[in-house]
């Protein structure tokens, strides 16, 4: 099963150093029955894109909690064995949890298919969105507009071999 793990650039650097995205349980996003119902599509590519965007929002939440992290959303697409993911039944009715799953056990970075990261030019909008999240969560429409502004930036696809350069550990860094 393909899952999308939200991170920050420091989180990605740590995963690169340790070889693991986490020991588990790990929060990720996937094409779940709830996501299918919410997104109203049978197109698997569209559903995976929706799961990726849910993970990007979760990455934004991680950025809001870590003011020192560079203001770029990070999502790692990783394939995990079937049966190692489960939706949290206590969060089933929470709109913020659509597509959310818990991955049990360690998730090796070597299993990653790709990394998705904002370009540098998204940083101002991502910074503003991270600051606006609490107000948006409280129902402020203007703040939600700011959060949506970050979603206007597409996350770029990177091969896993590019991780050292993304986190500043590559040659010439």
């Amino acid at each position: 099963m393909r899952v999308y793990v939200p991170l920050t650039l420091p989180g990605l650097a740590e995963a690169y150093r340790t070889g693991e995205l986490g020991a588990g349980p790990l929060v990720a996003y996937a094409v779940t029955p709830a996501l299918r119902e919410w997104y109203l599509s049978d197109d698997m590519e569209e559903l995976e894109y929706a799961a990726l965007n849910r993970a990007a929002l979760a990455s934004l939440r991680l950025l809001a909690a870590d003011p020192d992290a560079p203001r770029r959303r990070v999502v790692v697409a990783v394939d995990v064995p079937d049966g190692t993911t489960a939706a949290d039944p206590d969060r089933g009715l929470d709109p913020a949890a659509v597509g959310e799953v818990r991955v049990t056990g360690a998730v090796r970075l070597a299993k990653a298919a790709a990394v998705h990261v904002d370009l540098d030019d998204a940083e101002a909008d991502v910074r503003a969105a991270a600051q606006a999240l609490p107000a948006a969560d409280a129902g402020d429409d203007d703040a939600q507009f700011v959060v949506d502004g970050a979603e206007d930036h597409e996350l770029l696809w990177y091969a896993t071999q590019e991780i050292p350069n993304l986190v500043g550990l590559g040659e010439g860094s």
Side-chain angles (χ1 to χ4, degrees):
M1 169 181 239
R2 170 80 37 104
V3 299
Y4 299 90
V5 180
L7 290 176
T8 61
L9 283 173
L12 183 61
E14 180 65 17
Y16 181 73
R17 280 191 286 280
T18 64
E20 281 188 356
L21 292 171
L26 187 68
V27 173
Y29 292 80
V31 178
T32 63
L35 184 107
R36 286 177 189 273
E37 185 176 319
W38 172 76
Y39 197 72
L40 298 174
S41 175
D42 290 328
D43 184 304
M44 192 58 165
E45 193 170 305
E46 286 182 18
L47 290 166
E48 286 187 354
Y49 184 72
L52 170 68
N53 284 328
R54 301 298 291 177
L57 179 58
S59 175
L60 185 65
R61 291 187 181 289
L62 294 173
L63 290 172
D66 183 358
D68 295 330
R71 306 284 93 177
R72 293 170 68 192
R73 298 167 299 162
V74 176
V75 176
V76 178
V78 61
D79 295 316
V80 297
D82 290 340
T84 62
T85 63
D88 183 345
D90 294 332
R91 291 187 39 104
L93 299 177
D94 183 353
V98 171
E100 184 179 286
V101 295
R102 302 256 185 247
V103 182
T104 58
V107 178
R108 305 278 310 147
L109 185 58
K111 297 292 184 185
V115 179
H116 303 269
V117 182
D118 277 312
L119 280 175
D120 291 341
D121 70 355
E123 285 188 20
D125 288 339
V126 170
R127 177 179 292 105
Q131 291 172 338
L133 261 176
D137 287 345
D140 183 319
D141 290 338
D142 292 334
Q144 186 61 52
F145 181 78
V146 173
V147 171
D148 292 344
E151 294 176 5
D152 289 342
H153 294 275
E154 292 289 327
L155 296 177
L156 295 186
W157 181 95
Y158 293 91
T160 56
Q161 297 87 337
E162 296 177 272
I163 292 173
N165 291 329
L166 288 170
V167 298
L169 300 173
E171 291 179 30
S173 293

